[in-house]
């Protein structure tokens, strides 16, 4: 197990950095915002808390939450236009700095492709670097489920994405940054996990992560010191 000093060295020399999105790159949980928008906010927020605590499988929680929300295509688009996701302070500067250093940045999220792609565009991250869940709709725009074949639809899925990235791009050092249990369990195959508590603190992650930050400035400083 790497020491904190070794982890900082891995981060400074990373080929790729993968960020979780909900409550990490953006301030809110996309699925909770969608639930509020569709009038079932409280019930779904409770399910999200259980999923993030690692007490139920991610796919089971996602299926149950979406079964309650049943968002239409129009509702998803209206949410993005009326209540666009709010970027976490410092993330834009951090991503810009990583890009300047030639580091590939990926968004690996259990959230929804349409929302995460909107975030990616704000950060100049190519949409090909987005791995998220895809909602399915009938021709009339009604909710038809989600693509269960996406790796991000299940527990352990973020690790599968990182394994795929290492195989495809031959990355030597990949860092995963996120607030939840599904982010922490992606290391390994990630070479380093950085827990993020700037928007919400998950007790399990704070206790177990060797490197835990509450502001992205802390990572910017690490890069500037070199």
């Amino acid at each position: 197990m790497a020491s904190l000093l070794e982890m900082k060295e891995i981060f400074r020399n990373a080929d790729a950095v993968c960020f979780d999105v909900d409550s990490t790159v953006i301030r809110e949980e996309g699925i909770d915002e969608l639930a509020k928008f569709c009038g079932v906010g409280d019930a779904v927020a409770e399910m999200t808390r259980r999923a993030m605590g690692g007490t139920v499988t991610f796919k089971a929680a996602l299926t149950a939450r979406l079964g309650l929300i049943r968002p239409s295509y129009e509702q998803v688009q209206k949410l993005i236009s009326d209540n666009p996701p709010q970027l976490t302070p410092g993330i834009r500067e951090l991503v810009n700095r990583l890009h300047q250093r030639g580091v590939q940045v990926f968004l690996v999220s259990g959230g929804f492709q349409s929302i995460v792609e909107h975030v990616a565009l704000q950060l100049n991250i190519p949409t090909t670097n987005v791995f998220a869940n895809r909602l399915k709709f009938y021709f009339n725009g009604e909710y038809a489920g989600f693509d269960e074949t996406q790796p991000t639809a299940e527990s352990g899925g973020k690790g599968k994405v990182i394994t795929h990235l290492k195989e495809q791009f031959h990355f030597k050092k990949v860092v995963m940054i996120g607030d939840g249990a599904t982010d922490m369990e992606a290391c390994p195959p990630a070479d380093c996990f950085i827990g993020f508590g700037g928007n919400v603190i998950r007790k399990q992650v704070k206790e177990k992560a060797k490197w835990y930050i509450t502001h992205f400035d802390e990572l910017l400083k690490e890069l500037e010191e070199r």
Side-chain angles (χ1 to χ4, degrees):
M1 189 68 85
S3 69
L4 182 57
L5 274 176
E6 288 167 331
M7 289 170 73
K8 290 185 173 184
E9 186 68 16
I10 289 169
F11 174 66
R12 285 195 297 267
N13 293 287
D15 313 277
V17 175
C18 298
F19 288 92
D20 171 50
V21 176
D22 294 337
S23 296
T24 300
V25 167
I26 62 173
R27 305 197 70 151
E28 53 278 282
E29 285 287 322
I31 195 163
D32 288 350
E33 295 304 304
L34 186 57
K36 278 189 251 175
F37 198 73
C38 297
V40 288
D42 290 346
V44 169
E46 179 53 37
M47 287 184 181
T48 297
R49 275 194 290 277
R50 287 206 299 273
M52 291 308 252
T55 53
V56 292
T57 69
F58 185 80
K59 187 180 269 189
L62 186 61
T63 303
R65 288 179 292 178
L66 283 171
L68 264 179
I69 304 169
R70 302 193 65 76
S72 68
Y73 177 80
E74 287 76 15
Q75 283 173 316
V76 174
Q77 297 308 309
K78 192 159 170 50
L79 172 70
I80 294 169
S81 63
D82 290 5
N83 300 306
Q86 301 298 304
L87 291 177
T88 299
I91 187 64
R92 196 188 295 276
E93 293 79 4
L94 178 57
V95 170
N96 285 345
R97 189 76 187 97
L98 290 167
H99 282 156
Q100 285 165 10
R101 293 165 68 95
V103 178
Q104 287 253 36
V105 178
F106 296 86
L107 300 181
V108 184
S109 172
F112 306 123
Q113 188 89 14
S114 50
I115 296 173
V116 177
E117 285 186 350
H118 177 82
V119 173
L121 289 170
Q122 291 184 69
L123 295 171
N124 296 315
I125 295 169
T127 53
T128 50
N129 286 18
V130 168
F131 293 84
N133 288 316
R134 295 176 185 275
L135 294 172
K136 296 198 289 194
F137 303 99
Y138 293 112
F139 286 113
N140 64 358
E142 287 180 9
Y143 175 69
F146 64 96
D147 182 355
E148 298 192 23
T149 66
Q150 293 293 321
T152 49
E154 57 191 322
S155 300
K158 292 181 181 181
K160 286 182 185 166
V161 170
I162 290 171
T163 297
H164 161 74
L165 293 176
K166 283 187 158 187
E167 288 169 356
Q168 184 178 356
F169 297 106
H170 307 292
F171 293 137
K172 297 284 189 293
K173 291 185 169 63
V174 178
V175 173
M176 180 75 210
I177 300 172
D179 68 288
T182 60
D183 308 309
M184 188 162 60
E185 70 182 11
C187 180
D191 301 278
C192 166
F193 168 68
I194 304 170
F196 182 73
N199 293 309
V200 62
I201 290 175
R202 317 272 179 207
K203 185 167 177 280
Q204 176 192 18
V205 177
K206 187 178 182 185
E207 286 174 357
K208 292 186 178 173
K210 277 204 173 169
W211 191 358
Y212 195 80
I213 64 166
T214 54
H215 201 289
F216 288 123
D217 279 358
E218 295 171 61
L219 297 183
L220 262 177
K221 283 189 191 121
E222 282 300 322
L223 297 179
E224 300 307 336
E225 280 173 17
R226 197 181 154 202

